[in-house]
């Protein structure tokens, strides 16, 4: 899965785009970003300018799957 696939799934599922941010950061959102140039990706929750519950993944696919699970868990 790529971030483009991920964004399409989130759009089709009509997930509120204010609760997540793909390839960027947003306050009070679950964020997904590439980490440096080594192919790693990071997921975290941004609150008050700080990162919480940060997890690093070795591939885009692995990060996208984990991000999707986190977002769907959050919206329940």
């Amino acid at each position: 899965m790529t971030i483009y696939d991920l964004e399409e799934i989130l759009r089709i599922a009509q997930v509120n785009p204010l609760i997540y941010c793909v390839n960027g950061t947003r306050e009070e959102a679950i964020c997904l970003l590439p980490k440096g140039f080594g192919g790693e990706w990071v997921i975290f929750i941004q609150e008050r300018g700080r990162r919480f519950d940060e997890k690093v993944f070795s591939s885009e696919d692995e990060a996208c799957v984990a991000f999707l699970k986190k977002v769907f868990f959050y919206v329940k």
Side-chain angles (χ1 to χ4, degrees), residues 48-66:
R48 298 180 184 174
R50 296 183 61 196
R51 293 180 178 189
F52 296 93
D53 196 25
E54 187 171 322
K55 293 192 175 44
V56 178
F57 299 88
S58 59
S59 72
E60 181 178 11
D61 176 68
E62 189 180 15
C64 288
V65 170

Side-chain angles (χ1 to χ4, degrees), residues 7 12-13 15 22 25 27 30 32 37 40 49 54 61 76:
E7 290 177 313
I12 290 169
V15 176
V22 176
T25 62
E27 281 299 308
I30 302 166
L32 170 65
F37 298 103
E40 292 183 325
E54 187 171 322
D61 176 68
K76 282 188 175 185

Side-chain angles (χ1 to χ4, degrees), residues 6-59:
L6 174 66
E7 290 177 313
E8 184 68 8
I9 291 167
L10 293 168
R11 185 188 64 75
I12 290 169
Q14 298 179 342
V15 176
N16 183 344
L18 295 177
I19 68 164
Y20 68 88
C21 185
V22 176
N23 212 20
T25 62
R26 180 182 302 127
E27 281 299 308
E28 298 184 16
I30 302 166
C31 304
L32 170 65
L33 286 172
K35 184 176 181 181
F37 298 103
E40 292 183 325
W41 291 76
V42 63
I43 295 173
F44 56 90
I45 298 172
Q46 173 113 1
E47 286 185 21
R48 298 180 184 174
R50 296 183 61 196
R51 293 180 178 189
F52 296 93
D53 196 25
E54 187 171 322
K55 293 192 175 44
V56 178
F57 299 88
S58 59
S59 72

